[in-house]
Amino acid sequence: WKNHIKDNEKSMFKVVTSRVNALNKLSHLASFKQRKMLANGLVISSLIYMIQVWGGTSSYLIHILQVLQNRAARIVTRLGWGTSTKVLLDQCGWLSVKQLVEYHSLILVYKMESKRKPEYLYNKLSVPFTSNTRQSAGNTAENKIKESRIEYELNRSSFIPRSTISWNKIPAIIRLSPTVDIFKKRLKEWVKINIDIK
């Protein structure tokens, strides 16, 4: 993911940097609402594109993208360099890059669990319990997913193992949400409280 995020002529870092620069030029003529709308379209949309796939990358690459998000948030809010990341994100109503990884990965898991599509991913995600034990009965009732045994660190950071662990950590009331809109609302509040910004 280093090549995709940083070391490439068309890397995310270069694309988002150029978009943040464009946002900066346009921001002088725009209101807060307009600046935020531009930032959502130019910057946040680039950050969340395929975030479920590359979200398990190294923390230093996540940090590089977080710096760019902070820069965009400063342009939107017009707050100084001494302003904390939390204040910047709260003013914009954004999640941090690390929180966005969790949020969007878990939304995809919810959709896969409820619709059973895409089928090839759902089949990898829904590994059945091999025997009827109290643990399997409890997990089924709470809509938990069986965690597979992972030998290699690289595999552990890929979408299915990473999202399975995250899915089982969120409270049952969130996992059992009746609609995707309710799930998103509950999940966003949980992510804000339980996932560190950096």
Side-chain angles (χ1 to χ4, degrees):
W1 294 116
K2 186 181 174 189
N3 188 51
H4 172 72
I5 293 171
K6 183 174 171 280
D7 295 341
N8 189 325
E9 281 302 311
K10 295 180 180 179
S11 67
M12 279 185 67
F13 176 77
K14 290 193 176 177
V15 168
V16 175
T17 299
S18 66
R19 290 180 177 210
V20 170
N21 292 337
L23 174 66
N24 191 34
K25 287 177 183 175
L26 294 168
S27 68
H28 303 296
L29 307 169
S31 66
F32 172 80
K33 187 177 179 181
Q34 290 168 330
R35 291 193 305 271
K36 185 179 171 186
M37 185 177 66
L38 283 167
N40 284 335
L42 292 170
V43 179
I44 301 301
S45 64
S46 292
L47 290 176
I48 63 174
Y49 179 69
M50 299 298 288
I51 199 168
Q52 301 93 334
V53 179
W54 60 258
T57 190
S58 303
S59 57
Y60 84 94
L61 292 171
I62 296 285
H63 176 72
I64 287 169
L65 297 175
Q66 186 59 56
V67 169
L68 286 174
Q69 188 190 32
N70 290 354
R71 191 172 158 219
R74 280 191 194 93
I75 294 166
V76 172
T77 60
R78 293 185 174 163
L79 295 173
W81 285 96
T83 311
S84 71
T85 300
K86 186 179 184 326
V87 171
L88 290 169
L89 296 177
D90 285 345
Q91 289 282 317
C92 293
W94 293 343
L95 297 172
S96 72
V97 176
K98 188 176 174 185
Q99 290 171 335
L100 285 170
V101 170
E102 290 288 318
Y103 179 72
H104 286 282
S105 295
L106 290 170
I107 288 172
L108 183 55
V109 173
Y110 178 85
K111 289 177 178 177
M112 284 167 26
E113 280 288 294
S114 58
K115 308 260 185 205
R116 300 186 175 208
K117 291 180 182 176
E119 196 173 327
Y120 70 97
L121 272 180
Y122 175 75
N123 290 337
K124 287 184 178 183
L125 191 72
S126 59
V127 179
F129 286 91
T130 52
S131 58
N132 292 327
T133 63
R134 278 187 305 190
Q135 182 188 6
S136 67
N139 283 347
T140 305
E142 293 183 351
N143 199 21
K144 284 190 175 181
I145 301 169
K146 184 179 178 184
E147 294 176 23
S148 302
R149 195 172 187 177
I150 307 296
E151 292 181 25
Y152 303 106
E153 187 60 37
L154 184 62
N155 292 351
R156 192 173 284 113
S157 64
S158 63
F159 172 71
I160 295 291
R162 176 171 46 85
S163 300
T164 300
I165 292 166
S166 297
W167 177 262
N168 290 337
K169 281 182 184 175
I170 62 175
I173 192 168
I174 299 175
R175 288 194 302 270
L176 297 168
S177 298
T179 66
V180 71
D181 290 333
I182 293 170
F183 178 78
K184 285 179 180 180
K185 187 177 177 183
R186 290 174 177 173
L187 179 63
K188 189 170 186 179
E189 292 306 313
W190 185 88
V191 165
K192 278 184 178 179
I193 295 166
N194 294 280
I195 306 297
D196 292 335
I197 288 174
K198 295 180 182 178

